[in-house]
């Protein structure tokens, strides 16, 4: 199988020097339109796809991002490995604005989003005990170090609904009682859907602020976030540009079985499965259906 890296992130992350044969591709899905067209090209002999999570010009809020369409579209294009890059707040003094965190766990506090491709007509349950791929996360960590980025390997991401930022009471609870490390609004249900689609998934949190718990930083200021995010974009591009050399063009099966997550997950008996639902699942679950 050929490696194809899919990058979901902000506008600065797809302006990669050396991306060859770059073209914007429009992909239709049974789940509606993705956030935007997808920029496809080749870097160092490896196919890549860049999807602006909020759409170019930031037209989708965290709640209205079409997560199912985004993951389905990447799967249809042949993506094998998804790198999620997103701005986050930090609950840890040592995880400072400008640092990156390679996330390995999530606490999902979102409530207004469709979180599964499966449901009535075809029921499936996948494990997200370990929601990110260790192999892919290690490659991101290595790329960050090589790019000179201050990076922390491992961390728990608190996914909130948004679009408002946390109250001080919420921020302190997430930090002190729940022991989360970073907070963001977009990695859920993205990570769950990637697992259902049997895609390896890694999450890179680019820290922009200390949320509202920090006594010396006060409430989150969007202007400060934007300023730090602009600096992080250069680092993000440097990290992503190093991934093709680390992952290579030829992809072996995932040693952690991320690409076989549906092996025993579908519970609905074959004769009870709704043909219309199966048609919608053709891309994400075609291997087992």
């Amino acid at each position: 199988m050929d490696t194809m890296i899919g990058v979901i992130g902000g506008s600065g992350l797809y302006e990669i020097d050396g991306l060859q044969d770059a073209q914007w591709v429009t992909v239709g899905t049974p789940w509606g339109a993705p956030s935007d067209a997808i920029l496809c090209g080749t870097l160092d002999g490896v196919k890549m796809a860049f999807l602006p999570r909020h759409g170019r010009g930031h037209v989708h809020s965290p709640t209205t991002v079409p997560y199912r369409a985004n993951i389905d579209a990447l799967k249809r294009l042949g993506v094998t490995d998804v790198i999620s890059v997103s701005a986050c707040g930090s609950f840890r003094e040592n995880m400072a604005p400008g640092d990156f965190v390679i996330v390995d766990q999530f606490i999902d506090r979102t409530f207004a989003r469709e979180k599964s491709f499966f449901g009535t007509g075809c029921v499936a349950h996948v494990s997200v005990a370990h929601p990110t791929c260790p192999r892919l996360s290690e490659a991101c960590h290595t790329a960050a170090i090589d790019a000179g980025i201050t990076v922390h390997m491992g961390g728990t991401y608190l996914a909130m609904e948004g679009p408002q930022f946390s109250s001080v009471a919420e921020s302190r609870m997430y930090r002190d009682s729940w022991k989360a490390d970073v907070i963001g609004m977009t990695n859920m249900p993205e990570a769950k859907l990637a697992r259902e689609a049997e895609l390896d998934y890694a999450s890179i949190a680019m820290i922009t602020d200390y949320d509202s718990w920090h006594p010396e930083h006060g409430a989150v200021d969007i202007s400060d976030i934007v300023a730090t995010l602009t600096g992080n974009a250069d680092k993000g591009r440097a990290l992503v540009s190093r991934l093709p050399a680390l992952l290579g063009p030829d992809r072996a099966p995932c040693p952690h079985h991320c690409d076989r997550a549906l092996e025993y997950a579908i519970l609905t008996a074959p004769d009870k499965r709704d043909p219309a639902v199966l048609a919608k699942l053709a891309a994400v679950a075609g291997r087992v259906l």
Side-chain angles (χ1 to χ4, degrees):
M1 178 184 291
D2 293 337
T3 298
M4 186 173 188
I5 302 170
V7 180
I8 306 177
S11 59
L13 292 169
Y14 50 77
E15 298 161 357
I16 303 292
D17 291 338
L19 186 67
Q20 297 180 326
D21 302 320
Q23 59 177 329
W24 288 96
V25 177
T26 300
V27 183
T29 87
W31 314 96
S35 295
D36 205 331
I38 301 171
L39 181 65
C40 297
T42 303
L43 185 65
D44 296 334
V46 176
K47 292 182 288 185
M48 300 195 73
F50 296 85
L51 174 59
R53 183 186 281 111
H54 296 277
R56 284 168 288 180
H58 208 106
V59 296
H60 291 288
S61 78
T63 296
T64 65
V65 168
Y67 295 99
R68 292 190 295 183
N70 286 350
I71 295 298
D72 182 284
L74 293 177
K75 183 79 172 186
R76 286 175 187 275
L77 285 172
V79 166
T80 56
D81 300 88
V82 175
I83 311 296
S84 167
V85 187
S86 56
C88 289
S90 170
F91 293 129
R92 303 295 158 210
E93 193 86 47
N94 69 315
M95 295 179 175
D99 291 3
F100 285 14
V101 179
I102 309 300
V103 173
D104 62 353
Q105 283 295 328
F106 294 99
I107 299 172
D108 187 1
R109 293 287 291 167
T110 64
F111 55 82
R113 311 174 189 189
E114 294 290 344
K115 300 190 179 187
S116 179
F117 291 111
F118 298 91
T120 303
C122 189
V123 177
H125 300 277
V126 302
S127 172
V128 287
H130 301 285
T132 63
C133 176
R135 177 193 66 91
L136 194 56
S137 296
E138 184 57 44
C140 292
H141 185 244
T142 299
I145 292 173
D146 188 55
I149 299 166
T150 301
V151 60
H152 307 268
M153 186 63 177
T156 296
Y157 178 123
L158 189 290
M160 64 184 297
E161 187 62 52
Q164 301 86 358
F165 295 110
S166 304
S167 69
V168 172
E170 289 169 331
S171 189
R172 289 173 177 168
M173 178 180 70
Y174 299 150
R175 177 182 186 269
D176 299 330
S177 298
W178 293 11
K179 307 302 182 184
D181 298 299
V182 296
I183 184 168
M185 303 179 188
T186 58
N187 275 201
M188 282 292 167
E190 191 176 86
K192 291 176 177 176
L193 294 168
R195 179 58 51 83
E196 287 190 343
E198 299 191 320
L199 295 170
D200 285 24
Y201 182 89
S203 172
I204 302 168
M206 303 189 300
I207 296 176
T208 58
D209 60 87
Y210 277 120
D211 206 53
S212 56
W213 66 270
H214 201 295
E216 297 177 12
H217 289 263
V220 175
D221 187 323
I222 191 65
S223 62
D224 292 340
I225 289 176
V226 171
T228 305
L229 187 59
T230 301
N232 282 349
D234 290 338
K235 299 176 185 176
R237 284 194 299 273
L239 189 160
V240 168
S241 69
R242 286 163 168 78
L243 290 173
L246 290 168
L247 296 176
D250 301 317
R251 187 179 183 280
C254 175
H256 307 283
H257 309 290
C258 301
D259 53 4
R260 298 182 293 285
L262 292 176
E263 199 71 40
Y264 305 105
I266 297 176
L267 300 186
T268 305
D271 63 332
K272 297 295 184 181
R273 296 172 185 173
D274 184 337
V277 175
L278 298 186
K280 293 181 73 174
L281 292 168
V284 297
R287 187 187 70 82
V288 294
L289 292 175

